[in-house]
Amino acid sequence: MPMDFLRRIEEAQFPLEVTDPNDIRNVAVLVAAGLIEAVVPPESESPTTPAVVAKVTALGRAELGRLRDKRA
């Protein structure tokens, strides 16, 4: 799930290379939602081409905070 992936990378050191195909799809979804900034390889490229996450955006951090509040 994209939000689980966002939680996993919240404290990562950026830039972060992502090579797992499922995680690359999560990156694409999160970029489309404006929650992270990343470079996502076109689907026509080699499956070994990584996505590179530059950062979690302010909107992404706000969403993470909202999810934490919802759990409490």
Side-chain angles (χ1 to χ4, degrees):
M1 301 250 340
M3 295 311 292
D4 292 334
F5 178 79
L6 183 61
R7 278 191 218 102
R8 277 192 358 238
I9 68 165
E10 179 178 11
E11 300 300 325
Q13 188 166 358
F14 300 104
L16 174 67
E17 283 195 0
V18 178
T19 57
D20 180 86
N22 290 325
D23 287 343
I24 291 173
R25 282 189 285 281
N26 287 330
V27 168
V29 170
L30 294 169
V31 166
L35 302 179
I36 64 173
E37 288 183 9
V39 176
V40 182
E43 287 191 31
S44 62
E45 286 194 25
S46 165
T48 60
T49 303
V52 180
V53 180
K55 71 177 194 173
V56 177
T57 65
L59 182 61
R61 297 225 179 259
E63 184 64 17
L64 285 164
R66 188 185 72 74
L67 290 171
R68 274 192 293 278
D69 290 346
K70 191 175 178 181
R71 285 184 168 180

